[in-house]
Amino acid sequence: MADPTPDPISELFVESFNLDLTDLHSTARVALPTGGNHTDTLELRDDDGNFLCFVPADASPEMVAIAYRLYGQGLNIGVRAGEAAAWAKLRHLIGAAAATEAS
C-alpha cells in the first residue's frame, strides 16, 4: 500500500513558482514553510521577506499574484487612513494651540 503522505514541496518548485510570478509582473514571492509542518502550503512573503500568510501549494501563480495585489491595496488604504487620522490630530492640536495663544 502506498504512503498517503504527499511529497514535500521542493526548493525547485518554489523557484519555478517565483519565476512564474515574475513573468506575471508581480512582486509577490513564496517560500517553503518554516518549521516544515505545512507540507501542502507555501508562505506568501512581502517585499521585505516577512511572512504574510499561507497559500495552498496547488494555487496558481495568477491567484497568488491577485491575493498579493489585494494585500497591497488593503495596506495602502490602511496607511492612507492612518495618515489622514494623524493629519486630523495634528490640525486639531495646532488649532488648540492657536486658540490658547490668541487668548
Side-chain angles (χ1 to χ4, degrees):
M1 186 167 174
D3 186 348
T5 58
D7 291 337
I9 301 165
S10 71
E11 190 66 43
L12 183 60
F13 175 79
V14 171
E15 288 178 35
S16 174
F17 201 99
N18 284 330
L19 285 174
D20 290 343
L21 289 169
T22 300
D23 290 344
L24 293 168
H25 306 289
S26 175
T27 59
R29 292 293 169 263
V30 295
L32 289 173
T34 54
N37 296 336
H38 305 276
T39 58
D40 57 346
T41 61
L42 297 169
E43 290 185 356
L44 181 58
R45 303 280 180 93
D46 68 8
D47 293 339
D48 296 326
N50 298 314
F51 172 80
L52 295 176
C53 66
F54 290 109
V55 294
D58 60 354
S60 70
E62 292 84 3
M63 292 307 295
V64 172
I66 289 169
Y68 189 73
R69 189 167 43 247
L70 290 172
Y71 157 77
Q73 288 173 354
L75 180 64
N76 287 334
I77 289 169
V79 167
R80 284 193 305 268
E83 288 173 348
W87 280 111
K89 181 71 171 178
L90 182 60
R91 283 191 298 273
H92 173 73
L93 291 173
I94 291 171
T100 58
E101 288 175 9
S103 31

